[in-house]
Amino acid sequence: MIDVRSDTVTRPTPEMRKAGYHVEVGDDVYGEDMSVIKLEETAARMLGKEAALFVTSGTQGNQIAALTHCDRGDEVLLEADAHLFLYEGAAMSALAGVQPRTIQGVRGVMNPEHVRAAVRPDNIHFPETGMICIENSHNKAGGAIVPLENMQAIHDIAREHGIPVHLDGARLFNASVASGVSVKDYAAQTDTVQFCLSKGLGAPVGSIISGSAEFIRKARKWRKRLGGGLRQVGVIAEPGYVALTTMVDRLAEDHEHAALMAEAFEQIPGLSLEGSIDTNIVIVNVAGLSMSSDHFVEELTKAGVLAGTFGPDTVRFVTHYDVNRNDIKQVIDRVNELARVRS
Ligand SMILES: Cc1ncc(COP(=O)(O)O)c(CN[C@H](C(=O)O)[C@H](C)O)c1O
């Protein structure tokens, strides 16, 4: 099976597995696991932030940011198709007791004036705006890159009001490699950042959140409260360090593969692309084949390709380290055959 459902399916490289086996470990609750400390310090340095914290998933990182930035009863501004809104089980309400307020963007990009208008003035009837969240690259928008200028404009508005900006940068390194903008420059337009080690970078587990030393001090306490106090974590942190230090530049290959797939899909009658391809995600509309996305995915699975439904008529293909050029050719051929049978 060729698995292009998501870049969450990436498996650790032999180097990552060996690193996890040989690493010296310690109890991270006592601050004695030098491997995770090295990973956190490296990540903070790359982002130009004071400190960083290893967390078990992107969702945990995003939720710890909400718990740390916000008070119960606050409101969080975020794009209408943000992962924090669509795919985290309403955790920000369930755990942090905050209310999400969505702003419809265009391909994940919020209009800064819409953000400004949504910031709550001081009024006994209103919640306070506790956090503004940006997602870059934007998953639901097809891995779309949010321009640095847009982030800067939103960050300026946030600073005017003393509101923290959190970046859901699960695929921040994809955005950086594709745009040429450094992760440090993106991070400079935020107060806190979450990025995934476990997606395109190929680590088996984990994410990083990063921000001020004070934020990370509080975030570490929230992680502990959530049962995330880690012990001999070097076993998974060292593979994360290998991922962070050796797997960034190769993301360009995933982007090339996504562009190849998109170019081929565009030529197939009955298929249409949902937007341009910025990074490693291709979203295809299959309505022209008179079949639902569920049916399309089901038929494609029988042909040996795992893709993901992304809406009633849309299917997502995500390229990643475990899918090579030949696999991409196979995916294109299988989709071609399926479409030909249907048309
Ligand atoms: C932008 C963004 N932020 C956060 C997360 C959460 O990361 P994890 O909790 O899965 O580590 C994801 C995962 N996205 C997953 C995927 O794309 O297959 C699913 C949808 O949860 C994400 O895409």
Side-chain angles (χ1 to χ4, degrees), residues 54 69 71 86 90 100 114 160 167-168 231 250-251 253 284:
F54 179 81
H69 284 313
D71 296 321
L86 290 181
H114 295 172
E160 278 170 43
L167 175 64
D168 177 356
R231 301 299 178 181
R250 66 147 307 284
L251 292 172
E253 187 181 42
V284 171

Side-chain angles (χ1 to χ4, degrees), residues 16-335:
M16 291 177 197
R17 291 174 188 269
K18 283 187 203 119
Y21 177 79
H22 291 293
V23 67
E24 277 300 311
V25 291
D27 188 321
D28 183 42
V29 171
Y30 295 115
E32 295 172 2
D33 184 287
M34 300 319 292
S35 163
V36 77
I37 289 170
K38 176 183 69 177
L39 170 60
E40 291 166 346
E41 288 175 350
T42 303
R45 199 167 44 250
M46 288 171 94
L47 294 171
K49 297 294 186 189
E50 286 180 354
L53 178 68
F54 179 81
V55 290
T56 57
S57 67
T59 300
Q60 189 184 63
N62 286 335
Q63 293 309 318
I64 287 175
L67 286 159
T68 307
H69 284 313
C70 301
D71 296 321
R72 297 184 67 75
D74 279 358
E75 188 167 67
V76 169
L77 301 182
L78 73 176
E79 204 277 327
D81 289 329
H83 191 274
L84 262 136
F85 182 67
L86 290 181
Y87 296 113
E88 301 191 11
M92 72 169 79
S93 304
L95 303 178
V98 300
Q99 152 177 298
R101 181 163 175 202
T102 59
I103 295 173
Q104 185 56 59
V106 177
R107 281 178 53 78
V109 180
M110 293 184 284
N111 180 325
E113 287 318 304
H114 295 172
V115 175
R116 184 192 299 278
V119 171
R120 295 283 196 157
D122 185 19
N123 180 312
I124 185 73
H125 301 85
F126 297 165
E128 292 178 28
T129 305
M131 177 173 93
I132 297 171
C133 184
I134 300 172
E135 181 175 318
N136 198 8
S137 63
H138 195 286
N139 178 33
K140 197 71 176 161
I145 295 171
V146 175
L148 182 66
E149 304 67 43
N150 175 263
M151 289 182 63
Q152 194 157 2
I154 291 171
H155 192 219
D156 290 348
I157 292 166
R159 273 193 301 204
E160 278 170 43
H161 295 84
I163 299 168
V165 172
H166 174 67
L167 175 64
D168 177 356
R171 297 183 179 86
L172 179 61
F173 284 91
N174 290 89
S176 173
V177 165
S179 67
V181 175
S182 70
V183 291
K184 188 175 284 188
D185 285 347
Y186 281 127
Q189 302 311 325
T190 73
D191 295 274
T192 55
V193 182
Q194 181 277 126
F195 71 78
C196 291
L197 295 161
S198 62
K199 292 188 170 63
L201 298 183
V205 175
S207 276
I208 290 283
I209 51 175
S210 186
S212 69
E214 178 58 8
F215 169 82
I216 293 299
R217 186 187 66 76
K218 291 178 181 171
R220 188 179 295 274
K221 179 67 74 79
W222 269 114
R223 188 188 71 173
K224 188 78 175 77
R225 289 186 182 120
L226 297 172
L230 301 168
R231 301 299 178 181
Q232 290 67 40
V233 65
V235 173
I236 52 173
E238 197 67 6
Y241 180 77
V242 171
L244 185 57
T245 53
T246 70
M247 299 289 278
V248 171
D249 293 344
R250 66 147 307 284
L251 292 172
E253 187 181 42
D254 296 343
H255 303 162
E256 283 162 30
H257 288 167
L260 269 176
M261 256 198 306
E263 200 179 310
F265 290 167
E266 265 186 322
Q267 311 304 321
I268 299 177
L271 295 186
S272 61
L273 290 183
E274 296 276 302
S276 58
I277 310 303
D278 287 359
T279 53
N280 68 323
I281 297 177
V282 179
I283 300 180
V284 171
N285 190 308
V286 299
L289 296 177
S290 308
M291 61 196 304
S292 69
S293 55
D294 285 338
H295 187 193
F296 182 90
V297 165
E298 190 187 329
E299 290 303 309
L300 202 54
T301 303
K302 290 176 191 166
V305 174
L306 290 177
T309 56
F310 220 46
D313 297 328
T314 51
V315 176
R316 183 183 71 162
F317 295 78
V318 184
T319 58
H320 55 81
Y321 164 76
D322 287 329
V323 172
N324 61 33
R325 184 67 58 108
N326 183 49
D327 294 327
I328 295 297
K329 192 183 168 316
Q330 296 280 338
V331 169
I332 293 168
D333 291 348
R334 307 283 169 79
V335 168

